[in-house]
């Protein structure tokens, strides 16, 4: 059962993307869910990749060490900072509460693919498992449906390969060249 909280605005998630965990922008999106770095789960013993989850509120956060995000920045893996690379707001998924806060551009978890396209425009990419991805100037957004009228998860992502043209793996495991955004927010 969810307690009453002040959910972050969709723009708060976008502002927090690519920022360090201890930044004001990230604190604004993780603190309402009672999340602290001590609750982070390291996903790989050899790499600094972490998840922070609040399943009771239907939200997950994914962090990577800055050296893993940008290999040319001069940091060594493990030095940090740990940057927010994605935020997932869960809709229709077993064992996870539905996220109760506002979503980008008025999206709802009951939106059909046609509803999402009407709100966001045509997706830039449709990947495996029918995951639709939109590339905006400052972030990427993906939607994965359980069926045609039930959204499983809406995720805000750091721009693939920092829009530097390097190969990226955008959540569906298939590499593609990062391209400049086709639209503005």
């Amino acid at each position: 059962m969810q307690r009453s909280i002040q959910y972050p605005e969709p723009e708060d998630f976008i502002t927090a993307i690519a920022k360090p965990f201890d930044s004001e922008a990230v604190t604004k999106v993780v603190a309402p869910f009672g999340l602290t770095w001590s609750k982070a789960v390291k996903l790989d013993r050899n790499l600094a990749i972490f998840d922070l989850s609040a399943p009771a509120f239907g939200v997950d956060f994914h962090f990577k060490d800055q050296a893993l995000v940008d290999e040319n920045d001069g940091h060594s893996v493990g030095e940090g900072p740990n940057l927010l690379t994605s935020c997932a707001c869960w809709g229709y998924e077993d064992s996870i509460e539905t996220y109760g806060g506002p979503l980008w551009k008025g999206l709802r978890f009951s939106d059909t693919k046609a509803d999402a396209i009407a709100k966001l425009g045509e997706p830039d990419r449709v990947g495996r498992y029918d995951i639709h991805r939109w590339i905006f100037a400052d972030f990427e957004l993906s939607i994965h449906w359980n069926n045609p009228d039930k959204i499983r998860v809406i995720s805000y992502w750091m721009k693939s390969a920092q829009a530097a043209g390097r190969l990226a793996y955008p959540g569906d495991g298939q590499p593609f060249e990062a391209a400049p955004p086709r639209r503005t927010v």
Side-chain angles (χ1 to χ4, degrees):
M1 175 140 180
Q2 295 180 0
R3 62 182 164 94
S4 180
I5 65 167
Q6 178 66 43
Y7 283 93
E9 294 296 322
E11 295 80 7
D12 296 333
F13 288 106
I14 295 160
T15 300
I17 292 290
K19 303 284 189 319
F21 176 81
D22 59 357
S23 69
E24 184 178 322
V26 171
T27 298
K28 188 172 184 177
V29 297
V30 300
F33 308 108
L35 296 173
T36 60
W37 191 252
S38 65
K39 295 179 181 180
V41 174
K42 191 171 185 181
L43 299 180
D44 184 309
R45 65 185 177 104
N46 295 316
L47 294 175
I49 301 173
F50 303 89
D51 270 354
L52 269 175
S53 296
F57 297 102
V59 67
D60 288 313
F61 301 92
H62 191 75
F63 293 85
K64 288 184 182 179
D65 186 285
Q66 182 170 335
L68 295 173
V69 172
D70 183 357
E71 296 172 356
N72 299 317
D73 81 338
H75 285 85
S76 295
V77 174
E79 288 180 0
N82 294 304
L83 306 179
L84 180 62
T85 57
S86 67
C87 309
C89 299
W90 292 93
Y92 295 99
E93 178 68 358
D94 293 339
S95 75
I96 299 176
E97 289 291 324
T98 298
Y99 179 74
L103 299 166
W104 184 250
K105 298 292 185 184
L107 289 167
R108 296 183 326 250
F109 292 112
S110 60
D111 281 345
T112 64
K113 293 174 187 173
D115 294 333
I117 290 169
K119 292 175 182 180
L120 303 172
E122 288 293 327
D124 293 287
R125 178 178 169 87
V126 178
R128 286 189 346 210
Y129 308 111
D130 206 26
I131 297 172
H132 288 56
R133 183 173 291 265
W134 288 264
I135 301 171
F136 297 101
D138 297 325
F139 73 105
E140 296 183 18
L141 183 113
S142 66
I143 300 178
H144 182 196
W145 280 265
N146 276 347
N147 66 48
D149 59 351
K150 285 189 173 180
I151 292 177
R152 177 177 180 250
V153 63
I154 296 172
S155 299
Y156 304 94
W157 297 83
M158 177 186 287
K159 295 275 301 207
S160 294
Q162 298 293 287
R166 296 192 308 267
L167 283 179
Y169 296 87
D172 64 4
Q174 300 300 307
F176 72 95
E177 256 332 282
R182 293 185 333 179
R183 66 191 65 142
T184 59
V185 176

